[in-house]
Amino acid sequence: MSLPALQNTSVFYRRIVSQFPQDISLAFAYGSGVFKQSGTTQGQMGKNMLDFVFAVDDPVTWHTMNLLQNRKHYSFLKYLGPKQISSIQNDHGAGIYYNTLVPSNGKMIKYGVISTDSLIDDLLHWKTLYVAGRLQKPVKILLQSEDGKLRAALVGNLKSAVTASFLMLPESCSEEDLFVQIAGLSYSGDFRMVIGEDKSKVLNIVKENLQHFRILYSHILQECPQVVYKPQQGKLEVDKSPEGQFTQLMALPRTLQQRITRLVDPPGKNRDVEEILLQVAQDPDCGLVVQQGISSIVKSSSISQSAKGIVTAGLMKTFSYSTKKVWKMWKGWRRKSP
Protein backbone atom coordinates (compact mmCIF):
# COMPACT_ATOMS: atom_id res chain seq x y z
CA MET A 1 0.00 0.00 0.00
CA SER A 2 1.46 3.36 -0.97
CA LEU A 3 0.85 6.65 0.77
CA PRO A 4 -1.93 8.38 -1.18
CA ALA A 5 -1.09 11.59 -2.99
CA LEU A 6 -3.70 14.10 -1.90
CA GLN A 7 -4.01 16.04 -5.15
CA ASN A 8 -2.81 15.53 -8.69
CA THR A 9 0.84 16.43 -8.83
CA SER A 10 1.03 19.86 -10.39
CA VAL A 11 3.43 20.91 -13.12
CA PHE A 12 4.65 23.72 -10.86
CA TYR A 13 5.98 21.39 -8.14
CA ARG A 14 7.42 18.98 -10.69
CA ARG A 15 9.27 21.88 -12.31
CA ILE A 16 10.91 22.74 -8.98
CA VAL A 17 11.89 19.12 -8.26
CA SER A 18 13.33 18.76 -11.78
CA GLN A 19 16.02 21.31 -10.85
CA PHE A 20 17.63 18.78 -8.49
CA PRO A 21 19.50 15.50 -9.03
CA GLN A 22 16.86 12.89 -9.80
CA ASP A 23 18.14 9.95 -7.74
CA ILE A 24 15.30 10.48 -5.23
CA SER A 25 13.32 7.67 -3.55
CA LEU A 26 10.69 10.02 -2.06
CA ALA A 27 10.00 13.72 -2.61
CA PHE A 28 7.20 15.59 -0.92
CA ALA A 29 6.08 19.16 -0.31
CA TYR A 30 4.50 20.17 2.99
CA GLY A 31 3.60 23.09 5.21
CA SER A 32 1.62 26.30 5.06
CA GLY A 33 2.76 27.13 1.52
CA VAL A 34 1.23 23.88 0.24
CA PHE A 35 -1.84 23.29 2.44
CA LYS A 36 -4.13 26.09 3.57
CA GLN A 37 -4.37 26.76 7.28
CA SER A 38 -7.13 28.49 9.23
CA GLY A 39 -6.72 32.26 9.42
CA THR A 40 -4.62 32.38 6.25
CA THR A 41 -5.92 33.86 3.01
CA GLN A 42 -4.97 32.48 -0.42
CA GLY A 43 -2.91 35.62 -0.96
CA GLN A 44 -0.96 35.10 2.27
CA MET A 45 -0.52 31.43 1.47
CA GLY A 46 0.99 32.33 -1.91
CA LYS A 47 3.72 34.34 -0.13
CA ASN A 48 4.70 31.51 2.22
CA MET A 49 7.90 29.59 1.65
CA LEU A 50 7.47 26.14 0.06
CA ASP A 51 8.96 23.27 2.07
CA PHE A 52 10.30 20.08 0.46
CA VAL A 53 11.96 16.89 1.66
CA PHE A 54 13.99 14.60 -0.62
CA ALA A 55 14.93 11.08 0.50
CA VAL A 56 17.98 9.79 -1.38
CA ASP A 57 19.67 6.38 -1.38
CA ASP A 58 23.23 7.74 -1.63
CA PRO A 59 23.66 11.18 0.02
CA VAL A 60 27.32 11.60 -1.01
CA THR A 61 26.53 11.11 -4.71
CA TRP A 62 23.40 13.27 -4.45
CA HIS A 63 25.23 16.18 -2.79
CA THR A 64 28.10 15.82 -5.30
CA MET A 65 25.61 16.32 -8.16
CA ASN A 66 23.70 19.05 -6.33
CA LEU A 67 26.88 21.01 -5.62
CA LEU A 68 27.53 20.99 -9.38
CA GLN A 69 23.95 22.04 -10.22
CA ASN A 70 23.02 24.26 -7.26
CA ARG A 71 26.21 25.32 -5.46
CA LYS A 72 24.71 28.67 -4.38
CA HIS A 73 22.08 26.87 -2.29
CA TYR A 74 24.70 25.85 0.30
CA SER A 75 26.26 27.85 3.12
CA PHE A 76 30.04 27.97 3.65
CA LEU A 77 29.84 24.17 4.17
CA LYS A 78 30.03 23.77 0.38
CA TYR A 79 33.79 24.28 0.72
CA LEU A 80 34.04 21.12 2.83
CA GLY A 81 32.74 18.97 -0.04
CA PRO A 82 29.97 16.34 -0.39
CA LYS A 83 31.43 13.76 2.04
CA GLN A 84 31.53 16.24 4.92
CA ILE A 85 28.08 17.59 4.05
CA SER A 86 26.72 14.03 4.07
CA SER A 87 28.45 13.35 7.38
CA ILE A 88 26.85 16.47 8.92
CA GLN A 89 23.51 15.35 7.47
CA ASN A 90 23.66 11.79 8.81
CA ASP A 91 25.51 12.14 12.11
CA HIS A 92 23.95 15.23 13.69
CA GLY A 93 20.45 16.48 14.53
CA ALA A 94 17.59 14.52 12.98
CA GLY A 95 19.56 13.05 10.07
CA ILE A 96 18.38 15.69 7.59
CA TYR A 97 20.28 18.52 5.87
CA TYR A 98 18.32 21.69 4.97
CA ASN A 99 19.10 24.40 2.48
CA THR A 100 16.74 27.32 3.13
CA LEU A 101 15.62 30.60 1.53
CA VAL A 102 16.43 29.31 -1.96
CA PRO A 103 14.76 31.24 -4.84
CA SER A 104 13.07 28.91 -7.33
CA ASN A 105 10.46 29.62 -10.01
CA GLY A 106 9.44 32.92 -8.45
CA LYS A 107 9.07 31.38 -4.94
CA MET A 108 11.25 30.94 -1.89
CA ILE A 109 11.80 27.29 -1.02
CA LYS A 110 13.45 25.25 1.71
CA TYR A 111 14.50 21.67 1.04
CA GLY A 112 15.76 18.94 3.31
CA VAL A 113 17.81 15.92 2.22
CA ILE A 114 17.65 12.68 4.22
CA SER A 115 19.01 9.23 3.43
CA THR A 116 16.35 6.64 2.57
CA ASP A 117 17.67 4.37 5.35
CA SER A 118 17.43 7.16 7.96
CA LEU A 119 13.91 7.97 6.81
CA ILE A 120 12.77 4.34 7.07
CA ASP A 121 14.37 4.10 10.53
CA ASP A 122 12.51 7.21 11.73
CA LEU A 123 9.21 6.05 10.23
CA LEU A 124 9.40 2.63 11.88
CA HIS A 125 11.06 3.45 15.21
CA TRP A 126 10.45 7.20 15.78
CA LYS A 127 14.14 7.72 16.56
CA THR A 128 13.72 11.49 16.12
CA LEU A 129 10.07 11.85 14.97
CA TYR A 130 11.32 14.72 12.81
CA VAL A 131 10.49 13.62 9.27
CA ALA A 132 8.14 10.87 10.48
CA GLY A 133 6.14 13.63 12.18
CA ARG A 134 5.89 15.61 8.93
CA LEU A 135 4.52 12.51 7.21
CA GLN A 136 1.79 12.02 9.84
CA LYS A 137 0.13 15.14 8.45
CA PRO A 138 -1.07 15.77 4.86
CA VAL A 139 1.81 16.16 2.43
CA LYS A 140 1.96 16.42 -1.32
CA ILE A 141 3.81 13.37 -2.65
CA LEU A 142 5.74 14.36 -5.77
CA LEU A 143 7.94 11.31 -6.37
CA GLN A 144 7.86 7.87 -4.78
CA SER A 145 9.97 4.87 -5.78
CA GLU A 146 8.69 1.31 -5.86
CA ASP A 147 10.74 0.44 -2.76
CA GLY A 148 8.44 -1.93 -0.83
CA LYS A 149 10.30 -1.37 2.45
CA LEU A 150 9.76 2.40 2.19
CA ARG A 151 6.08 1.99 1.30
CA ALA A 152 5.51 -0.31 4.29
CA ALA A 153 7.35 2.12 6.61
CA LEU A 154 5.19 5.06 5.44
CA VAL A 155 2.01 3.15 6.29
CA GLY A 156 3.50 1.83 9.56
CA ASN A 157 4.20 5.41 10.66
CA LEU A 158 0.54 6.35 10.14
CA LYS A 159 -0.60 3.30 12.14
CA SER A 160 1.80 4.22 14.97
CA ALA A 161 0.43 7.79 15.00
CA VAL A 162 -3.10 6.43 15.41
CA THR A 163 -2.05 4.00 18.17
CA ALA A 164 -0.15 6.64 20.18
CA SER A 165 -3.07 9.07 19.83
CA PHE A 166 -5.58 6.46 21.04
CA LEU A 167 -3.60 6.15 24.27
CA MET A 168 -3.89 9.92 24.88
CA LEU A 169 -7.57 10.32 23.94
CA PRO A 170 -10.74 9.60 25.95
CA GLU A 171 -12.93 6.58 25.17
CA SER A 172 -15.31 8.62 22.99
CA CYS A 173 -13.96 11.32 20.71
CA SER A 174 -14.49 12.93 17.33
CA GLU A 175 -12.46 12.53 14.15
CA GLU A 176 -11.25 16.08 14.64
CA ASP A 177 -10.05 15.26 18.18
CA LEU A 178 -8.04 12.35 16.77
CA PHE A 179 -6.55 14.38 13.92
CA VAL A 180 -5.59 17.26 16.25
CA GLN A 181 -3.88 14.72 18.51
CA ILE A 182 -2.03 13.18 15.54
CA ALA A 183 -1.04 16.56 14.08
CA GLY A 184 0.32 17.62 17.47
CA LEU A 185 2.57 14.59 18.02
CA SER A 186 5.62 16.08 16.30
CA TYR A 187 5.14 19.46 18.04
CA SER A 188 4.94 17.97 21.55
CA GLY A 189 8.10 19.02 23.36
CA ASP A 190 9.34 21.16 20.45
CA PHE A 191 10.98 24.26 21.94
CA ARG A 192 10.00 26.19 18.79
CA MET A 193 6.38 26.06 19.95
CA VAL A 194 7.46 28.30 22.85
CA ILE A 195 9.10 30.84 20.57
CA GLY A 196 8.89 30.88 16.80
CA GLU A 197 5.62 29.11 16.03
CA ASP A 198 1.98 30.22 16.16
CA LYS A 199 0.46 28.44 19.20
CA SER A 200 -2.74 27.74 17.22
CA LYS A 201 -0.69 25.98 14.54
CA VAL A 202 -1.95 22.43 15.18
CA LEU A 203 -5.64 23.37 15.19
CA ASN A 204 -5.12 25.58 12.13
CA ILE A 205 -3.58 22.66 10.24
CA VAL A 206 -6.48 20.31 11.00
CA LYS A 207 -9.47 22.63 10.56
CA GLU A 208 -8.77 23.40 6.90
CA ASN A 209 -7.58 19.90 6.00
CA LEU A 210 -10.05 17.45 7.57
CA GLN A 211 -10.68 15.75 4.23
CA HIS A 212 -6.95 15.29 3.66
CA PHE A 213 -6.60 13.68 7.11
CA ARG A 214 -9.52 11.36 6.31
CA ILE A 215 -7.82 10.26 3.10
CA LEU A 216 -4.68 9.40 5.09
CA TYR A 217 -6.34 7.63 8.01
CA SER A 218 -9.84 6.32 7.20
CA HIS A 219 -8.61 2.97 5.84
CA ILE A 220 -6.41 2.41 8.91
CA LEU A 221 -9.28 3.30 11.27
CA GLN A 222 -11.69 0.98 9.48
CA GLU A 223 -9.28 -1.95 9.84
CA CYS A 224 -8.12 -1.23 13.41
CA PRO A 225 -9.56 -3.68 16.01
CA GLN A 226 -9.01 -1.21 18.87
CA VAL A 227 -11.64 1.28 17.71
CA VAL A 228 -15.25 1.50 16.60
CA TYR A 229 -15.11 4.04 13.78
CA LYS A 230 -18.32 5.77 12.62
CA PRO A 231 -17.23 7.84 9.61
CA GLN A 232 -20.74 9.08 8.80
CA GLN A 233 -20.98 10.69 12.24
CA GLY A 234 -17.27 11.51 12.51
CA LYS A 235 -17.11 9.64 15.84
CA LEU A 236 -14.78 7.07 17.39
CA GLU A 237 -14.98 4.76 20.40
CA VAL A 238 -11.51 3.67 21.57
CA ASP A 239 -10.74 0.56 23.61
CA LYS A 240 -9.49 2.01 26.91
CA SER A 241 -9.47 -1.27 28.88
CA PRO A 242 -6.11 -2.26 30.43
CA GLU A 243 -5.93 -5.12 27.90
CA GLY A 244 -6.62 -2.74 25.01
CA GLN A 245 -4.07 -0.21 26.23
CA PHE A 246 -1.45 -2.94 26.71
CA THR A 247 -1.98 -4.07 23.10
CA GLN A 248 -1.57 -0.46 21.93
CA LEU A 249 1.56 0.10 24.06
CA MET A 250 3.15 -3.08 22.67
CA ALA A 251 2.49 -1.81 19.12
CA LEU A 252 4.25 1.54 19.68
CA PRO A 253 7.56 2.30 17.90
CA ARG A 254 10.65 0.99 19.69
CA THR A 255 12.14 4.38 20.66
CA LEU A 256 8.90 5.50 22.30
CA GLN A 257 8.65 2.25 24.26
CA GLN A 258 12.22 2.82 25.48
CA ARG A 259 11.42 6.41 26.54
CA ILE A 260 8.32 5.22 28.42
CA THR A 261 10.27 2.51 30.27
CA ARG A 262 12.91 5.07 31.32
CA LEU A 263 10.19 7.33 32.71
CA VAL A 264 8.49 4.54 34.69
CA ASP A 265 11.21 2.09 35.72
CA PRO A 266 13.40 3.23 38.65
CA PRO A 267 17.16 3.01 38.00
CA GLY A 268 18.64 -0.37 38.87
CA LYS A 269 15.42 -2.40 38.60
CA ASN A 270 16.00 -3.41 34.96
CA ARG A 271 12.61 -5.00 34.40
CA ASP A 272 11.79 -6.07 30.85
CA VAL A 273 9.81 -3.78 28.56
CA GLU A 274 6.71 -5.98 28.49
CA GLU A 275 6.43 -5.98 32.29
CA ILE A 276 6.77 -2.19 32.45
CA LEU A 277 4.23 -1.58 29.68
CA LEU A 278 1.77 -3.90 31.45
CA GLN A 279 2.09 -1.66 34.51
CA VAL A 280 1.59 1.50 32.39
CA ALA A 281 -1.51 0.00 30.71
CA GLN A 282 -3.22 -0.19 34.13
CA ASP A 283 -2.18 3.31 35.19
CA PRO A 284 -4.90 6.02 35.03
CA ASP A 285 -2.13 8.37 33.82
CA CYS A 286 -1.18 6.07 30.92
CA GLY A 287 -1.87 8.77 28.31
CA LEU A 288 0.25 11.30 30.19
CA VAL A 289 3.20 8.89 30.31
CA VAL A 290 2.92 8.33 26.53
CA GLN A 291 2.76 12.11 26.02
CA GLN A 292 5.91 12.61 28.12
CA GLY A 293 7.70 9.89 26.14
CA ILE A 294 6.86 11.57 22.82
CA SER A 295 7.84 14.99 24.16
CA SER A 296 11.26 13.70 25.20
CA ILE A 297 11.94 12.40 21.66
CA VAL A 298 10.80 15.61 19.96
CA LYS A 299 12.57 17.92 22.41
CA SER A 300 16.03 16.43 21.85
CA SER A 301 15.71 16.18 18.05
CA SER A 302 14.23 19.68 17.61
CA ILE A 303 17.03 21.32 19.63
CA SER A 304 19.85 19.43 17.89
CA GLN A 305 18.35 19.91 14.41
CA SER A 306 17.83 23.65 14.99
CA ALA A 307 21.43 24.00 16.17
CA LYS A 308 22.57 22.21 13.02
CA GLY A 309 20.34 24.52 10.95
CA ILE A 310 22.41 27.55 12.01
CA VAL A 311 25.46 25.93 10.41
CA THR A 312 23.77 24.52 7.30
CA ALA A 313 21.87 27.73 6.54
CA GLY A 314 24.54 30.26 7.58
CA LEU A 315 24.01 33.15 10.00
CA MET A 316 22.32 35.60 7.60
CA LYS A 317 19.75 33.08 6.38
CA THR A 318 19.17 31.81 9.92
CA PHE A 319 18.44 35.34 11.12
CA SER A 320 16.09 36.02 8.18
CA TYR A 321 14.26 32.70 8.60
CA SER A 322 13.91 33.09 12.39
CA THR A 323 12.59 36.64 12.00
CA LYS A 324 9.85 35.40 9.66
CA LYS A 325 8.88 32.66 12.16
CA VAL A 326 8.59 35.13 15.04
CA TRP A 327 6.53 37.48 12.82
CA LYS A 328 4.10 34.63 12.05
CA MET A 329 3.85 33.82 15.76
CA TRP A 330 3.08 37.48 16.60
CA LYS A 331 0.36 37.59 13.93
CA GLY A 332 -1.14 34.45 15.48
CA TRP A 333 -1.24 36.19 18.86
CA ARG A 334 -2.93 39.25 17.32
CA ARG A 335 -5.62 37.10 15.66
CA LYS A 336 -6.48 35.51 19.01
CA SER A 337 -6.47 38.72 21.10
CA PRO A 338 -9.86 40.53 21.48
Side-chain angles (χ1 to χ4, degrees), residues 97-115:
Y97 186 104
Y98 273 104
N99 284 324
T100 190
L101 293 173
V102 173
S104 178
N105 291 69
K107 299 278 286 186
M108 275 293 175
I109 73 166
K110 176 180 81 176
Y111 65 93
V113 184
I114 186 170
S115 78

Side-chain angles (χ1 to χ4, degrees), residues 1-208:
M1 175 184 172
S2 62
L3 202 67
L6 297 171
Q7 303 168 21
N8 292 329
T9 305
S10 68
V11 172
F12 179 73
Y13 290 115
R14 288 206 306 271
R15 195 179 294 143
I16 290 173
V17 175
S18 72
Q19 295 165 8
F20 296 94
Q22 291 303 289
D23 183 20
I24 294 173
S25 60
L26 180 74
F28 64 89
Y30 67 95
S32 58
V34 181
F35 292 95
K36 192 173 184 302
Q37 296 182 7
S38 292
T40 307
T41 65
Q42 285 296 137
Q44 289 168 328
M45 184 181 165
K47 293 175 187 174
N48 287 343
M49 185 160 61
L50 296 177
D51 297 306
F52 295 86
V53 167
F54 305 142
V56 303
D57 291 343
D58 183 349
V60 175
T61 300
W62 197 91
H63 284 296
T64 300
M65 299 298 294
N66 201 42
L67 281 163
L68 290 171
Q69 291 176 226
N70 301 302
R71 191 171 179 82
K72 289 181 180 176
H73 294 181
Y74 291 82
S75 69
F76 68 93
L77 294 177
K78 59 177 167 276
Y79 299 111
L80 301 180
K83 284 187 180 175
Q84 273 300 110
I85 288 171
S86 299
S87 177
I88 291 164
Q89 173 188 309
N90 293 323
D91 301 338
H92 302 280
I96 187 165
Y97 186 104
Y98 273 104
N99 284 324
T100 190
L101 293 173
V102 173
S104 178
N105 291 69
K107 299 278 286 186
M108 275 293 175
I109 73 166
K110 176 180 81 176
Y111 65 93
V113 184
I114 186 170
S115 78
T116 307
D117 287 342
S118 292
L119 174 59
I120 289 171
D121 188 48
D122 197 32
L123 292 167
L124 292 177
H125 305 304
W126 287 9
K127 187 177 176 184
T128 69
L129 244 181
Y130 200 87
V131 181
R134 302 276 184 276
L135 284 158
Q136 289 161 1
K137 296 177 274 291
V139 301
K140 193 171 181 61
I141 301 287
L142 306 170
L143 284 171
Q144 186 174 339
S145 71
E146 292 301 308
D147 183 341
K149 199 174 170 187
L150 176 58
R151 284 206 307 272
L154 286 162
V155 177
N157 178 47
L158 298 181
K159 288 180 177 177
S160 295
V162 168
T163 302
S165 296
F166 282 170
L167 286 159
M168 293 183 281
L169 286 166
E171 188 171 6
S172 295
C173 60
S174 68
E175 269 184 329
E176 186 172 315
D177 293 333
L178 173 65
F179 298 149
V180 167
Q181 190 74 61
I182 288 171
L185 293 176
S186 63
Y187 295 116
S188 177
D190 189 337
F191 78 98
R192 292 170 299 177
M193 294 302 284
V194 178
I195 176 115
E197 290 286 8
D198 180 357
K199 302 299 183 296
S200 310
K201 187 180 181 85
V202 175
L203 194 58
N204 291 344
I205 289 168
V206 174
K207 277 188 173 296
E208 287 286 339

